[in-house]
Amino acid sequence: MHPTLVISQKEDLDVGADRKVRFGDFRDPFVWKQDGTWFQLVGSGVQTSSGTDLGGTAFLYTSTNLTDWTYAGR
């Protein structure tokens, strides 16, 4: 319920060699806290560098305060 967006999809996420994020496909966040760290999974898709769809994935982010998130991988 934060008044401003705290996380948004970025086109340059590291999703593997010769791959890119399917931009505009960023959905279904799930957040939980474990051992003092907040975790967030967000669904998205991955494509080849030329744009061929490879399927879906989940991006993992971490935070200590629920407003500043760090991309941790897929």
Side-chain angles (χ1 to χ4, degrees):
M1 304 306 289
H2 197 274
T4 60
L5 188 64
V6 296
I7 192 168
S8 62
Q9 186 180 32
K10 294 185 177 13
E11 292 186 66
D12 62 348
L13 288 178
D14 179 8
V15 294
D18 298 320
R19 296 180 177 185
K20 64 181 182 176
V21 172
R22 188 166 59 212
F23 195 72
D25 190 7
F26 199 62
R27 62 188 186 282
D28 307 325
F30 181 79
V31 177
W32 75 97
K33 188 175 185 180
Q34 182 176 330
D35 299 326
T37 299
W38 290 95
F39 295 87
Q40 180 174 191
L41 285 176
V42 182
S44 189
V46 176
Q47 301 174 318
T48 64
S49 296
S50 62
T52 302
D53 281 333
L54 296 173
T57 192
F59 296 133
L60 178 64
Y61 294 84
T62 61
S63 176
T64 57
N65 60 14
L66 285 174
T67 56
D68 300 304
W69 292 91
T70 302
Y71 176 62
R74 58 185 177 99

